């Protein structure tokens, strides 16, 4: 069997809120959840599990490759909801997107404070 990515757990202050934010932004359906996890499943079967840890949450970075149409809709939702966003990971270009690597990209934070990135072209 080839190695594939199956799932990850993202720390959240409010698991349901973070999962809902992620699902609504990226137009994903609800997935079955269990125990401390509120799950979101991506089209390729990868499971994103949101859970509230008993420790202080440290910011992590998560990047997602999306098509141009979904990028436009997600970016419009960020703007409509007044979510602060940047064209760069250093957060020095607020309110912008970038055109790196032949596509578009944007950085923003989720309700738990993690840095999320949407890109329309892979880096490699």
């Amino acid at each position: 069997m080839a190695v594939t990515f199956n799932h990850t757990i993202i720390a959240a202050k409010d698991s349901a809120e973070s999962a809902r934010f992620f699902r609504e932004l990226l137009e994903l359906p609800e997935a079955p959840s269990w125990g401390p996890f509120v799950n979101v499943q991506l089209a390729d079967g990868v499971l994103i599990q949101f859970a509230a840890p008993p420790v202080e949450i440290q910011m992590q970075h998560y990047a997602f490759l999306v098509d141009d149409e979904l990028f436009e809709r997600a970016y419009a939702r960020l703007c409509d909801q007044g979510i602060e966003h940047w064209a760069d990971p250093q957060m020095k270009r607020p309110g912008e997107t970038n055109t790196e690597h032949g596509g578009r990209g944007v950085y923003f934070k989720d309700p738990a404070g993690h840095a999320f990135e949407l890109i329309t072209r892979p880096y490699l």
Side-chain angles (χ1 to χ4, degrees):
M1 172 189 276
V3 175
T4 59
F5 188 73
N6 181 263
H7 72 277
T8 192
I9 299 170
I10 298 178
K13 296 173 188 170
D14 180 325
S15 303
E17 177 188 27
S18 288
R20 182 176 45 257
F21 172 82
F22 189 77
R23 267 194 332 269
E24 290 174 358
L25 182 69
L26 298 180
E27 303 173 357
L28 297 166
E30 289 192 38
S33 296
W34 57 83
F37 306 110
V38 179
N39 299 322
V40 175
Q41 192 166 29
L42 305 181
D44 60 1
V46 171
L47 193 64
I48 308 292
Q49 298 182 292
F50 292 90
V55 296
E56 183 179 338
I57 295 174
Q58 298 296 311
M59 184 183 79
Q60 298 291 312
H61 173 80
Y62 301 94
F64 293 90
L65 180 64
V66 299
D67 64 30
D68 292 303
E69 293 79 20
L70 179 54
F71 183 93
E72 284 298 325
R73 292 190 305 272
Y75 184 67
R77 280 191 276 287
L78 290 173
C79 293
D80 290 347
Q81 294 174 22
I83 296 172
E84 193 171 15
H85 58 278
W86 303 269
D88 61 314
Q90 296 81 17
M91 301 178 204
K92 294 183 179 183
R93 295 174 49 201
E96 298 179 35
T97 62
N98 69 59
T99 54
E100 306 297 325
H101 306 281
R104 293 183 67 197
V106 66
Y107 297 81
F108 57 94
K109 291 188 178 181
D110 81 332
H114 294 298
F116 276 70
E117 176 183 9
L118 300 180
I119 55 174
T120 61
R121 299 294 180 274
Y123 290 158
L124 298 178

